[in-house]
Amino acid sequence: MKMIPNWIPADAWAGYVEMRVSIKKPLKTERAINLAINTLERLQAEGNDPGAVLDQSTLNGWQGLF
C-alpha cells in the first residue's frame, strides 16, 4: 500500500476515511487509496490545500475529493 505522504494532514485524512466508513463507502482497496492520494496530489498542484479538500469532503459527506 502506498504510504500516506507527509504533506497530507493525518487528522484530515483520518476524518475522511472515518466519514467514508460511516456512509458505508470505505476505501477498501489499495487502488482506491492510491487514487485518492493521486487526486489530492493533482489538486495540490492546482493550488488547493489537501487538508481543506479532505475537510470539505468530510463535512459535506462527499465520497470524492474536489
Side-chain angles (χ1 to χ4, degrees):
M1 178 188 322
K2 187 173 186 176
M3 296 293 296
I4 305 305
N6 61 3
W7 51 265
I8 296 176
D11 58 337
W13 177 261
Y16 177 69
V17 170
E18 180 182 10
M19 180 276 299
R20 290 281 309 244
V21 169
S22 76
I23 64 168
K24 300 184 178 14
K25 300 287 184 180
L27 297 169
K28 290 183 180 182
T29 65
E30 181 178 334
R31 177 145 173 82
I33 292 167
N34 288 336
L35 288 168
I37 292 169
N38 292 341
T39 298
L40 286 171
E41 189 171 33
R42 179 182 51 78
L43 290 168
Q44 182 184 44
E46 294 172 0
N48 297 286
D49 173 36
V53 170
L54 288 163
D55 287 345
Q56 174 180 260
S57 290
T58 300
L59 179 65
N60 292 301
W62 296 342
Q63 293 177 57
L65 299 166
F66 312 99

